[in-house]
Amino acid sequence: MTVTAKARTLGELLQTEGYAGRAPFDGKIRLVQDEVRDNLTRKLRSGEELFPGVVGYDDTVIPQLVNALLARQNFILLGLRGQAKSRILRAITELLDAEVPVIAGVDMPDDVLNPVGAEGRALLEAHGLDLPIRWLPRAERYVEKLATPDVTVADLIGDVDPIKAARLGTSLGDVRSMHFGLLPRANRGIFAVNELADLAPKVQVALFNILQEGDVQIKGYPIRLELDVMLVFSANPEDYTARGKIVTPLKDRIGSEIRTHYPTDVRLGMDITAQEAVRSGDVTVPEFIAELVEEIAFQAREDGRVDKLSGVSQRLPISLMEVAAANAERRSLTQGDDAVVRVSDVYAGLPAITGKMELEYEGELKGADNVARDVIRKAAGAVYARRHGSANTRELEKWFEAGNVFRFPQGGDSAAALKATAEVPGLSDLAAEVAASSVDAVRVSAAEFILEGLYGRKKLSRAEELYAAPEPETRQQRGGRWN
């Protein structure tokens, strides 16, 4: 709804398009769900992007979400951490009108013609067409609460305020004596509860009652509140057994249960990471390094030493990319070289990996750092195999098998490091092919990636920056050739 000149009173509002001819208490209520449906319908017809920034859900989550919104349902997003649940909930505010008129001077945003709150009704009866109104932007119509076990009914719904009751001369059971919680203050908007299962059962029941029946008991007093709120939830499947559960009456009334998921392929994950990672300075991230960073998350999700119930958040590659880029920038500032991310910078980002993985018992025994290093190795091997698995590295491998070792240069400029790689037969030429760039720093990054990829495929061994022939127990002899 567009209003060219903002009305300041109800009388002025009734002169504008969409309100002309209406009267107080006319019963014509446009619910929040109707408002969302109308704007969603318009966007679908025009082909507008519905949820900007939400990547990888076009064929799975978004169609189910659109169906729930078109059906005017409350819904819950169920998925592991780092699956954009909160981002999706917040994006729904873009389906609200740019701003709506509400009664001014009341705690609970209320419809100017058909208020549900006692205070709003009293003001409308007292002032009539002179009722002051204010305009509520869509950003202020979204209220979010992270559920924790200590959240009370008073936090969400409200509590009896004896001082307010005494000042107004009302009984404690009168709704006007209430101090409103978050849910009533979200009237005419969207109320989101993250990690729903963490709420105590009695709080969930109060939430159910206020939505289904429009009433709730607070300290023994029945309170009537027929709110106009769109309620949306998120939860982690782990919570059903680990910390709590959603009570059956509330779960039964949630219209749709929509399952979220991690990116289904590395390319989608790379798009998300590129969108979300914040990098300062002029840092170059070669394509093969970006794929390596993303593959680390994929390998961690499949690793038996990592707890699959907790999941591996998409924040892992995002944080890792930021730290790796920062390490490349630090090297550039101290050594005066081009800032290009290398494999060594990825290893420098270990703190961004270990903090994002919950380990099983076997992983705890090995240690988070060792598990993370092993995941990097596997990821490097997988990316190298995908990109350059058919490359002929036999001459390079023979050089190492002859007892030679190579310490990858970490200091000095890129030109010197590139010159040093010429010591390994075929490495410089393959690095030029992998890098697809004439920039020395990118070729150096490619050379280190090749060695790490061969290490990941167990064709080399590694100790810090030192590469050597594979350990005897990792070799497999096939047809007289070492692979």
Side-chain angles (χ1 to χ4, degrees), residues 227-241:
L227 300 175
D228 175 20
V229 178
M230 180 178 181
L231 196 69
V232 292
F233 307 98
S234 75
N236 190 317
E238 177 192 7
D239 295 343
Y240 288 124
T241 56

Side-chain angles (χ1 to χ4, degrees), residues 140 159 173 176 188 312 337 442 445:
E140 295 181 17
D159 203 355
R176 289 172 294 177
R188 300 286 298 125
V312 176
D337 198 13
V442 177
S445 179

